[in-house]
Amino acid sequence: MTKLLISLIFLFLYSATSIAKPLELTQEEKNYIKENPVVTVGLMPDFTPFSYYIEGKPIGFEHDLLDLISKKTGLKFERHIDKWMTIYNAFKNKEIDMIGSISYKKYREPFTVFTSAYYNIPIMVFVRDNFGQYNGLKSLTGKRVGVLKEVFYVKELEDLGTMNLVFYDSYAELAKGLVFGEIDALMQNLPNINYLIKKNLYDNITLASELILPNTKREDLRFGLQPENSLLVSIMQKTLASMSNREMEALSDKWIGSIKEYPGGHIDLSDSEKNYLNTHTIKYCINPSGLPFEALSEDGEHIGMSSDYYRLFEQMLSAKFELVKTNTWNESVEYIKQKKCDMLALGMETPERKEYLNFTSHYLDVPLVVATKVDVPFINQILDLEGENIGVIKGDAFVKILREKYPSLKIIEVDDIYDGLDQVKNGSLFAFVDTLASIGYEFQSKYFGELKIAGKISESLQLSIAVRKDDSILLGVLQKVVNNITNERHRTIFTKWIPIKYEQDVNYKIVWQIVLGILIFLSFIMYWNRKIAQANRLLKQAQKDIEEKNKELNRLALTDNLTALFNRRKLENLIQAEIDKASHAKQGFCLSILDIDHFKEVNDKYGHQRGDSVLVEFADVLKSSLRATDYVGRYGGEEFIIIFPESSIDDVRLIIEKVRLEISQYDFQGIEHKTASFGLTFSMQGDTIETVIKRADNALYEAKESGRNRVVVH
C-alpha cells in the first residue's frame, strides 16, 4: 500500500507540469464573453501547416488552437479566411477583431496588441537549383527576391537596399514564381515551402540557408488584437498562458510533426489506430536475399528498398518496427502464416496468399525481363521462349501466373537469382525471368559481357504491403501510409536502388545481324538513358535537399520554440542516456535545476513580451558560460536544467558559481539586474529520471528558501 501511495505521489508530481493551469477570468471578463460571444478572426488559406485547406475544409494548428481556446472560454470564433494582405488590411481597418499568424514588429504597435507567441519557426532562403553557390545575403545582391506583401521583415530587407524585392499575394504564387524563373530566390518559413514543394512535386527549388537579419531571426506567430478591446486582449493572453506544455506539444506533434518528420501530407488516424501504434511493436519479415528490393547484409542488417520504406513508415507513423530474421523467402512466408511476424513491405497479391494475408493497394509496379547469353537474338514476346528451359525463382508469386497463362513454356524453378543467372551462364538454362530491378542490380557487379537483358515481357510485379489476415487495424493504417507517400518519395527510393544504366553495359556481338528496326530501338534506348541519367542527377539533388530540410525540422522538434535550447522531451532523453551510461561506468554525472529569481515580477511589471525577451537573453548567457560537453535546456517556464556528463560535484560547483555570477552581473535589456538560484545533485546507482530531478529540485527549493542567488547541493 505504501509503495502504491508513493507511486501515485510521483505520478502526480510528474504530471502536474503537463496539465493545464486554471484559467481565472475576472467577473468583468466573464460578462464580456457573455455579451460578446462571437470574435471575428482573420486567417490565411495557404499557411501550411497552421491554416490551410484539405478537400475544401479549413484545418491546421491555428484552427485547433482556436477550438481549444473556445472550449476554455466559451468564445466563438468566426473565421475570415483570405490572402494575407486582405486580412491584414481588414484588421488595420478594424473590420475584424483579431488576426492570426502575425509577428511582432514595433511599427505594428499603433494598431496591434500582440499576445505571446504560440509558435516560432525559422525563415529560410530558397533558390533555384541553377543559382550556384550561396554565401549569405551578399549572394542576393542585384537579384530578384520574392517575399509576401507586408511580411514582417520586409522593412529590414528594404533597409539593406541590395536586392530587388518582388512582392506576392500568396505563398503558392511566391513558390511558383521561383519555380518558373520570375525570381531568383524567395524568403519564407520552412514548413510552408516544404509543403508546397511536396504537394506540387517541384524539383528545382533548393534550400540555401536560414535567413538572419539584424532584428529578425525567426517568425514568431502570435494573435494580434485591436488595442481598444482591452478585455478581449486580457482574455486571450490569459487563455494562452493557461495552456499546459502537454496541450501545446500535442498541437505541435499533430501539425508540425507530421510535416517535419516525413515527406508527405497529414495522416488522419482514428483513436483506435493511434492506440494500436502506441501499444504495438510491429514485427516484419523480408526476403533475406532479394536485392535490390530487400536483403540481410553480411552483418545481419536490413538493406534494400524495403529498408528505406520501413524507415519512412516509422517516420510517418511514429511507430516502432522490429525485423524478424529468416534464412529464406519461403521461411518468411511460413513465419507470417505462423503469426511470428505481422507484415511484409513488398508482397505480390495472389489468390493463394489472400487466404492468410490482406493487401494494400499496390505502390510499386516493376516490369519482368528475360536474361540470356549475349549471342541470343532480341526476344519480342515471351512465347519466343517456347521449347527452351526458363528459370524462375522458387516461391515467387509470378511462377504460378506464368505457368497458368503460358502452359507451353518449360519453367524450371531455381533457388535464387544467382542460381538462375549462373545456370544461364553455363548453358543449363536458356533464359532466366525476374524483375528489371533484380537482374539490373546484379548486372552491375557480375555477368558483365556474358549475359544481357534480351527482352521485356508483358507481365509485371505489382507490389503491395501485405498484412496478416487477422490484423485489420494495421491494414487500415498502412493503407493510409500508401495513400500519402508522394511520387517524389517513391522515385527517390526507387532510383537509389535500381540501376537505370545497365543497357549501356550490354555487349551485343551480333549487332551486324540486327535489322534497321533494332538499330532504331537501340538508338531510342540510348536517348532514354541520357534522359534518365539527367533525371537521376536531379533526384539525387532533391533527396539531398530534403534530407537537409528534415535534419533542420528534426532539430526544431527537439528544441524549445522561444529560447532554441533543448526542450523538456529532449532533456529527459539526455538524462536517461546519462543514467544508462553511468550504470556501466565508474564516473557519474551531475544535474542542476535553476530558476530565475522573482521572474513573475518581470511579466507583471513589463509584460509577457519583455518576459520572453529576458528568457532568450538568459538562455544566451547559459550557452556562452558552459562547456561544450554540457547540455542545457528549458524545462518549463523560467526553469532550466543543465546536465554535466562525467563530471564531479566539486568541478561542477565551480562552473555553476561562475554561471551564477555571470547572470547576476548581466545587463538584461530594459529591466533591472536579475539573479538565479541553483539546485545541484550527483547521479546515484538506481537513479531514474524522476529521482535525479527530484533531488536537484529539492536543492533548488532550499536555495530559494535560504535567500536566492545561490547554489545548494543535495
Side-chain angles (χ1 to χ4, degrees), residues 652-664:
V652 170
R653 179 154 193 164
L654 292 175
I655 296 170
I656 291 184
E657 286 290 354
K658 177 188 172 186
V659 174
R660 183 189 63 78
L661 189 60
E662 289 277 349
I663 292 168
S664 65

Side-chain angles (χ1 to χ4, degrees), residues 679-695:
L680 175 62
T681 190
F682 186 74
S683 63
M684 300 168 58
Q685 285 297 318
D687 259 335
T688 64
I689 295 174
E690 292 80 9
T691 59
V692 70
I693 290 178
K694 181 64 176 174
R695 283 202 307 279

Side-chain angles (χ1 to χ4, degrees), residues 42 47 79 139 272 295 298 340 514 516 598 603 631:
F47 192 48
R79 294 159 170 82
S139 299
S272 62
E298 293 180 358
K340 293 181 180 179
I514 300 176
L516 180 61
H598 302 298
N603 286 333
Y631 303 114

Side-chain angles (χ1 to χ4, degrees), residues 281-458:
T281 296
I282 303 168
K283 296 182 178 181
Y284 68 93
C285 291
I286 66 169
N287 182 348
S289 58
L291 284 177
F293 293 106
E294 56 189 12
L296 292 177
S297 68
E298 293 180 358
D299 299 326
E301 297 295 323
H302 180 190
I303 58 175
M305 290 171 61
S306 71
S307 69
D308 287 350
Y309 275 110
Y310 274 111
R311 281 193 289 272
L312 185 61
F313 299 160
E314 287 180 327
Q315 294 171 345
M316 294 172 79
L317 298 170
S318 296
K320 184 177 181 182
F321 289 82
E322 179 183 305
L323 173 64
V324 178
K325 296 180 182 179
T326 57
N327 295 313
T328 65
W329 169 246
N330 288 327
E331 186 178 8
S332 292
V333 174
E334 287 303 314
Y335 268 35
I336 205 163
K337 288 180 181 178
Q338 298 166 16
K339 300 185 179 180
K340 293 181 180 179
C341 53
D342 304 312
M343 62 169 290
L344 309 165
L346 302 172
M348 183 172 179
E349 183 177 339
T350 65
E352 292 78 17
R353 290 179 179 175
K354 287 184 70 174
E355 294 179 5
Y356 55 93
L357 290 172
N358 283 323
F359 295 83
T360 66
S361 56
H362 73 271
Y363 61 96
L364 279 179
D365 199 334
V366 187
L368 296 177
V369 295
V370 181
T372 67
K373 288 187 175 182
V374 294
D375 57 354
V376 173
F378 183 79
I379 295 170
N380 293 298
Q381 57 175 315
I382 193 169
L383 292 179
D384 290 347
L385 299 172
E386 283 184 325
E388 305 288 356
N389 291 333
I390 307 164
V392 181
I393 296 175
K394 186 187 305 179
D396 273 351
F398 51 83
V399 173
K400 186 173 181 181
I401 295 173
L402 292 178
R403 280 194 166 133
E404 290 179 350
K405 191 171 182 180
Y406 306 104
S408 60
L409 295 180
K410 294 171 61 177
I411 294 176
I412 311 296
E413 294 189 43
V414 298
D415 293 333
D416 53 35
I417 189 170
Y418 306 111
D419 183 24
L421 293 175
D422 284 343
Q423 288 198 50
V424 174
K425 179 180 172 181
N426 64 32
S428 301
L429 293 174
F430 177 78
F432 173 72
V433 174
D434 206 333
T435 66
L436 168 64
S438 300
I439 292 178
Y441 184 86
E442 295 304 328
F443 274 17
Q444 285 197 120
S445 56
K446 296 179 66 177
Y447 313 105
F448 178 75
E450 298 173 306
L451 303 181
K452 73 173 184 180
I453 295 176
K456 173 181 175 296
I457 62 178
S458 59

Side-chain angles (χ1 to χ4, degrees), residues 226-239:
Q226 301 294 347
E228 60 273 15
N229 202 340
S230 59
L231 284 173
L232 181 58
V233 170
S234 176
I235 292 167
M236 287 297 296
Q237 185 54 53
K238 282 184 178 180
T239 309

Side-chain angles (χ1 to χ4, degrees), residues 389-669:
N389 291 333
I390 307 164
V392 181
I393 296 175
K394 186 187 305 179
D396 273 351
F398 51 83
V399 173
K400 186 173 181 181
I401 295 173
L402 292 178
R403 280 194 166 133
E404 290 179 350
K405 191 171 182 180
Y406 306 104
S408 60
L409 295 180
K410 294 171 61 177
I411 294 176
I412 311 296
E413 294 189 43
V414 298
D415 293 333
D416 53 35
I417 189 170
Y418 306 111
D419 183 24
L421 293 175
D422 284 343
Q423 288 198 50
V424 174
K425 179 180 172 181
N426 64 32
S428 301
L429 293 174
F430 177 78
F432 173 72
V433 174
D434 206 333
T435 66
L436 168 64
S438 300
I439 292 178
Y441 184 86
E442 295 304 328
F443 274 17
Q444 285 197 120
S445 56
K446 296 179 66 177
Y447 313 105
F448 178 75
E450 298 173 306
L451 303 181
K452 73 173 184 180
I453 295 176
K456 173 181 175 296
I457 62 178
S458 59
E459 284 70 21
S460 63
L461 185 66
Q462 294 183 333
L463 297 174
S464 308
I465 302 177
V467 182
R468 275 189 5 228
K469 195 82 171 181
D470 60 341
D471 201 339
S472 58
I473 294 181
L474 181 57
L475 177 71
V477 169
L478 293 173
Q479 181 60 58
K480 290 179 179 179
V481 169
V482 170
N483 294 343
N484 281 272
I485 301 176
T486 63
N487 292 333
E488 178 69 22
R489 194 60 174 176
H490 282 307
R491 283 197 294 270
T492 300
I493 294 175
F494 197 81
T495 54
K496 174 182 175 181
W497 291 99
I498 307 303
I500 302 299
K501 58 183 181 181
Y502 67 90
E503 291 96 341
Q504 295 175 343
D505 296 332
V506 174
N507 180 20
Y508 290 102
K509 293 183 178 179
I510 56 169
V511 173
W512 58 272
Q513 296 176 332
I514 300 176
V515 294
L516 180 61
I518 300 300
L519 290 173
I520 295 172
F521 174 79
L522 289 175
S523 299
F524 173 78
I525 291 293
M526 292 174 64
Y527 168 78
W528 187 246
N529 283 344
R530 285 195 295 271
K531 297 288 287 184
I532 289 189
Q534 181 182 10
N536 280 344
R537 286 193 296 272
L538 293 173
L539 287 170
K540 286 177 181 177
Q541 182 61 45
Q543 181 184 11
K544 180 181 178 182
D545 294 340
I546 290 172
E547 287 172 354
E548 290 175 354
K549 295 170 192 171
N550 285 340
K551 287 178 183 177
E552 170 64 14
L553 288 171
N554 187 53
R555 182 185 67 78
L556 293 176
L558 303 176
T559 55
D560 175 62
N561 295 335
L562 179 64
T563 63
L565 299 179
F566 288 135
N567 61 17
R568 179 174 182 147
R569 182 189 303 173
K570 179 61 175 177
L571 282 171
E572 290 178 348
N573 290 340
L574 290 169
I575 295 170
Q576 186 61 57
E578 290 301 319
I579 290 172
D580 295 341
K581 188 163 58 174
S583 67
H584 301 293
K586 295 180 180 179
Q587 183 68 51
F589 68 97
C590 294
L591 182 142
S592 176
I593 295 183
L594 56 144
D595 188 288
I596 304 175
D597 296 329
H598 302 298
F599 182 73
K600 185 175 183 299
E601 295 176 358
V602 177
N603 286 333
D604 292 344
K605 185 175 180 180
Y606 301 99
H608 287 276
Q609 291 178 22
R610 184 82 283 276
D612 287 351
S613 299
V614 170
L615 289 173
V616 172
E617 292 180 70
F618 189 84
D620 291 340
V621 174
L622 291 178
K623 284 186 288 187
S624 63
S625 303
L626 295 171
R627 303 173 300 183
T629 56
D630 302 329
Y631 303 114
V632 60
R634 185 183 178 198
Y635 197 57
E638 67 272 20
E639 203 169 55
F640 297 79
I641 281 182
I642 309 173
I643 305 167
F644 302 88
E646 299 181 3
S647 302
S648 68
I649 280 286
D650 293 337
D651 291 340
V652 170
R653 179 154 193 164
L654 292 175
I655 296 170
I656 291 184
E657 286 290 354
K658 177 188 172 186
V659 174
R660 183 189 63 78
L661 189 60
E662 289 277 349
I663 292 168
S664 65
Q665 296 174 347
Y666 185 82
D667 290 324
F668 289 94
Q669 185 178 352

